[in-house]
Amino acid sequence: MLRVAVVGSGPSGCYTAQSLVQQDSEVRVDVLDRLPCPYGLVRYGVAPDHEKIKSLQNNLRAVLEHDRVRFLGGVLVGPGGVPVARLRELYHAVVYCVGAATDRRLGIPGEDLPGSWSATRFVAWYSAHPDAEDDGFLRDARSAVVIGVGNVAVDVTRMLARGPAELSPTDVPQAALATLAASRVSEIHMVGRRGPSQARFTTKELRELGALPDTDVVVDPAELALDPGYTDPSGLPAPQRRNVEVLRAWAGAPPTGAPRRIRPRFFLRPVELLAERGHVGAVRFERTAPDGSGGVTGTGRYEDIEARLVLRSVGYRGVPLEGLPFDAATGTVPNLSGRVLREGVVTPGEYVAGWIKRGPTGVIGTNRPCAKETATSLLADVPALVSKTVPGDPLAALRARGADPVEWAGWQSIERAEAELGASLGRGVVKLPDWQSLLDAARS
C-alpha cells in the first residue's frame, strides 16, 4: 500500500489527491492543512458574493470524503510543527501544494504608511481567515485606491461598493459585515499602469461592477483612447476585445448621480504614497504611454489621487518552505513535471503541484491538469517509493510531534457551528473568524 501526504487542501491539493486515488486503487492519501478548515483559496480567497464559484467546495468535499482520502487539519508542516524531514519518514511520498502565500510589493516610498495594505490582507479579513485581524481598513476612509486591474482588484473594488443588503446573505463574518455596512467610502479608483486592452480581469468580473446598486462606473474616454487596442480592437483576442467593449459602453453613458462611484483608470504607474498626518492621504501616479512593444514608458507627468485607503493587488508570490529547495527568482520549488529537483537532480519521494510548482498563474481549473501531471509522475515512481518502510498509520507519529489534527468529523462540527451562528443572526451560514472559535467548534 502506498501512503502519500498532500500538504495543502486547496484546489491543487484536492485535485492531486483525487488524481492519485483515481489512478491507483491501492494508494491512501492524507491531506494535511495548517488550518482546521479545508478548501484553501476557495474558502478564503473567493469573494463571498461569488456563490457559484464557492460552490466548487462541493466538488472538493467529494474528494476529501473518499474512503482512501483523509483530511487532517490544524497540522503545521515546517518550523514549529512537523519537520519536512520527519514527514518524509512517515510517508512514501509527499506532495506540497502550498500555493503562493504572500503578495508582491510595489517597492515605492510610503508603501508602509498606515492605511496602505495588500489586497490579500483585506480579502483575508472579510473572508474570515483565522490569521486576519480588523486593521481598521475603512476607518475615516471616503476615497480608496485599488492598485491593479486583475480579478482580485475587481473583487476588492466590488466589496468596497457593496451595501449591507447585498452582503448579509453571504458568509461574511458578522464583525466584517458591520464594518462594511458602516463604510463611508464613496469613491473607488481601480488603477492600472497599462491600457484597458492589457488588463488582466475577465469580462464577467468587469461587468459585475456595472451591475452594482447605487453605484456609477465612470471612465474617461480620452484616457481609454491612449490605448491603440481600444481605438481599434479588431486585432485583439476575444477576451480583451470584450473588455474593451464593456469599457466603451461605460464611456458613452452619463453618470446617474449614484452615491458611490467606481473609476477604472489606466496608464498610471504608482510612484509614491503621500502622507497626511501620519496616514496615507493620496497616491502619486506617473502618466505612462504605450512603448510600442507591449509595455509602457513614463511621460514625466504626474497625478495625485486622494485616498485614505490603498489596496495593492499586483500579484502573489511563493515563499520558501524549510527543507525544500526554492527558486527566489520565480517564487517556486524547482521541479521536473512535479518532481522536486535539488541542484538539478530529482529528489525521490518529493513532489509539488499548484502555484508553488508553476507560479501564480491561471484560474482554479488550471490546477486540475497541473495536479494530474504531478500525480502521474508520482505513480510512475511507485516501484522505487514502496521500497521504503513507513509506519502503518502516521497519525500517532504526527501526534507525537505535537500535532492535534482536526479530522473530517471536526470540520463537520465547524460547519454546523457556522450554520447555527448564521441562524442566530437571521442570516445564512456565517463564518467563524478566529482560531479559538474554530477549534472550540471542531472539538465540540
Side-chain angles (χ1 to χ4, degrees), residues 361-386:
T361 60
V363 295
I364 290 175
T366 311
N367 290 293
R368 190 183 291 274
C370 172
K372 185 175 182 180
E373 178 188 59
T374 295
T376 301
S377 294
L378 189 158
L379 294 174
D381 298 341
V382 165
L385 297 176
V386 295

Side-chain angles (χ1 to χ4, degrees), residues 99-374:
T102 191
D103 56 278
R104 295 184 181 274
R105 292 177 59 83
L106 298 170
I108 61 175
E111 185 171 7
D112 294 319
L113 280 169
S116 169
W117 314 99
S118 71
T120 308
R121 196 161 172 174
F122 185 60
V123 170
W125 167 69
Y126 67 62
S127 297
H129 193 292
D131 289 340
E133 297 180 4
D134 182 354
D135 289 303
F137 298 104
L138 305 179
R139 190 177 300 128
D140 300 326
R142 295 180 183 272
S143 179
V145 166
V146 178
I147 299 173
V149 284
N151 279 345
V152 175
V154 176
D155 280 349
V156 297
T157 297
R158 194 179 63 254
M159 288 294 292
L160 285 170
R162 285 283 192 201
E166 303 146 67
L167 290 175
S168 185
T170 73
D171 60 8
V172 168
Q174 188 68 13
L177 175 64
T179 299
L180 289 164
S183 168
R184 295 186 293 171
V185 172
S186 60
E187 192 95 3
I188 308 159
H189 297 258
M190 185 177 69
V191 189
R193 63 185 176 86
R194 297 194 293 176
S197 69
Q198 297 168 311
R200 303 297 294 273
F201 43 62
T202 60
T203 307
K204 179 180 180 296
E205 293 259 359
L206 182 63
R207 284 186 178 130
E208 286 183 281
L209 297 180
L212 292 169
D214 302 319
T215 304
D216 280 334
V217 180
V218 181
V219 292
D220 181 354
E223 189 171 76
L224 298 177
L226 297 172
D227 186 347
Y230 178 82
T231 305
D232 179 14
S234 60
L236 294 175
Q240 283 72 39
R241 189 169 63 250
R242 288 192 292 268
N243 286 344
V244 164
E245 289 168 355
V246 172
L247 291 164
R248 191 184 300 279
W250 288 339
T256 66
R260 289 186 293 270
R261 289 167 302 282
I262 293 173
R263 298 183 183 272
R265 303 291 309 275
F266 300 96
F267 292 113
L268 292 171
R269 176 167 57 201
V271 294
E272 185 178 1
L273 271 60
L274 306 176
E276 180 182 306
R277 295 190 296 274
H279 193 280
V280 65
V283 185
R284 178 160 293 165
F285 291 93
E286 181 183 17
R287 171 67 66 189
T288 61
D291 64 5
S293 58
V296 291
T297 184
T299 65
R301 292 182 285 118
Y302 298 88
E303 176 180 344
D304 293 351
I305 299 178
E306 179 184 347
R308 292 281 293 178
L309 170 64
V310 177
L311 298 172
R312 68 178 183 274
S313 178
V314 291
Y316 295 92
R317 182 171 178 79
V319 297
L321 182 62
E322 187 178 69
L324 284 180
F326 187 73
D327 184 339
T330 62
T332 61
V333 171
N335 69 93
L336 178 64
S337 299
R339 296 179 176 95
V340 172
L341 295 174
R342 294 181 184 271
E343 298 181 354
V345 179
V346 168
T347 304
E350 292 183 310
Y351 304 84
V352 285
W355 280 2
I356 198 65
K357 170 187 174 183
R358 67 181 192 275
T361 60
V363 295
I364 290 175
T366 311
N367 290 293
R368 190 183 291 274
C370 172
K372 185 175 182 180
E373 178 188 59
T374 295

Side-chain angles (χ1 to χ4, degrees), residues 407-418:
E407 298 188 58
W408 193 248
W411 161 239
Q412 290 176 312
S413 293
I414 292 173
E415 287 186 303
R416 286 192 296 272
E418 293 184 334

